[in-house]
Amino acid sequence: MRSRPFPLPPGPRPDPPRVAWRRQMRERVLQEARALAAEGGWDRVRVADLALRAEVSRPSIYKEFGDRAGIGQALVLRETDQFLTGVAMVLDARRDDLGAALRAGVAHALAEADANPFIGAVLTAARGGTDALLPFLTSRPEPVFTSAWRLLADWLGEVVPDVARERQVEAADLVVRLTISHMLLPSPLTADAPERVAGAGCAVLGLPPGL
């Protein structure tokens, strides 16, 4: 008599070995790319070095990411997701005080840009006009600027629903642009940036900073 197979436990099934290996390989490559960029800037990151440090072949890297620019974009997407998750948590912790939430969100963003070695390497190189990752951080629609703008615009839609949507969108755009500006070009006034950026955002919304 043939025994019955044991039923599978509830929950998601594990990935097939090939899928699991690909995910692990991708993560290793991105971790090493991040480390190399933090050490010497993105301009010095080479696929050959990534393959050696991640212990995978160069053809496997090219197959997964397409080219070096694909690695850079994937890395920025990964860092952006983690960065914005932190910003969202800070904003949500102060939903009852708009001004305080915006101040905390800007302060968190600036502190992360200063403490994160990868972002620090990108910004330092960008000030010298050499780093190829800068377009991913600023001028291109994705991932950073538009993702941050959407996050803040949606958050404002929930927190101040009575304000016109046009004002919510404009305020989000202003706050994100000013924050990125302080990341790229810090000045003696940067210490007061959270207060001033939050005040500007509240002014566009037509609300007092203490609301």
Side-chain angles (χ1 to χ4, degrees):
M1 181 177 177
R2 182 179 298 177
S3 60
R4 294 182 179 179
F6 291 104
L8 291 174
R13 296 185 178 183
D15 292 327
R18 178 178 291 275
V19 175
W21 178 87
R22 180 179 174 182
R23 179 180 290 114
Q24 293 169 3
M25 180 272 290
R26 181 182 180 88
E27 183 61 23
R28 287 201 308 273
V29 171
L30 291 179
Q31 286 177 349
E32 295 301 337
R34 184 184 190 276
L36 285 171
E39 292 169 9
W42 177 252
D43 289 346
R44 296 186 179 181
V45 175
R46 298 291 179 265
V47 174
D49 297 329
L50 285 177
L52 182 63
R53 291 181 54 150
E55 300 181 341
V56 298
S57 68
R58 278 186 287 178
S60 294
I61 294 178
Y62 284 120
K63 182 177 180 181
E64 177 66 25
F65 297 98
D67 54 17
R68 183 172 172 275
I71 299 171
Q73 187 170 35
L75 180 58
V76 173
L77 283 167
R78 175 178 178 267
E79 293 296 310
T80 299
D81 184 64
Q82 296 177 358
F83 176 74
L84 293 181
T85 296
V87 172
M89 292 176 63
V90 170
L91 290 173
D92 281 337
R94 297 163 176 82
R95 295 174 71 93
D96 58 339
D97 188 329
L98 176 65
L102 291 178
R103 287 193 296 272
V106 173
H108 176 82
L110 294 176
E112 283 295 303
D114 186 58
N116 186 314
F118 170 74
I119 296 178
V122 172
L123 296 181
T124 299
R127 292 178 194 127
T130 62
D131 201 284
L133 281 181
L134 181 63
F136 291 120
L137 293 171
T138 53
S139 61
R140 295 186 185 179
E142 295 290 353
V144 178
F145 179 82
T146 300
S147 298
W149 170 78
R150 286 174 177 165
L151 168 68
L152 185 55
D154 290 344
W155 183 83
L156 290 172
E158 296 175 1
V159 175
V160 286
D162 294 336
V163 174
R165 184 57 180 168
E166 293 77 7
R167 284 178 174 261
Q168 296 171 359
V169 170
E170 184 179 353
D173 182 89
L174 176 67
V175 168
V176 172
R177 287 184 186 276
L178 289 177
T179 301
I180 291 180
S181 176
H182 280 288
M183 289 179 182
L184 294 174
L185 298 170
S187 72
L189 298 177
T190 297
D192 299 325
E195 184 74 31
R196 292 186 293 109
V197 173
C202 290
V204 171
L205 293 167
L207 298 171
L211 182 63

